[in-house]
Amino acid sequence: MSTTHSTTLERYTNCQSCGMPLAKSPNGGGSDADGSTSTVYCAYCYVNGAFVQPGMTAGEMQAFVRVKMKEMGFPGILGWFFTKRIPKLKRWSTT
């Protein structure tokens, strides 16, 4: 039996893997295995019902997002501020 990470009961404003606003994600979210739009994870983290980088840790995601934010011109302090809560997001707080 396969499980999806998104249900119609769960609706988040931010991706529960990287913290990016879902409104900024292509199509408003990633894609579940059935092709529907995920209301939990963004298109950069979650495709066809699976994580794009399944072996990534919360700490690695924080570092990855900080680099991406710096590449986009955000100051380092903002990268730190916006990534400090990544370990508390749904993907990282459950197993």
Side-chain angles (χ1 to χ4, degrees), residues 15 18 20-32 35-39 41-47:
C15 174
C18 71
M20 181 181 83
L22 287 173
K24 300 280 187 188
S25 175
N27 299 321
S31 58
D32 286 322
S36 64
T37 300
S38 173
T39 59
Y41 302 109
C42 76
Y44 302 110
C45 292
Y46 198 68
V47 176

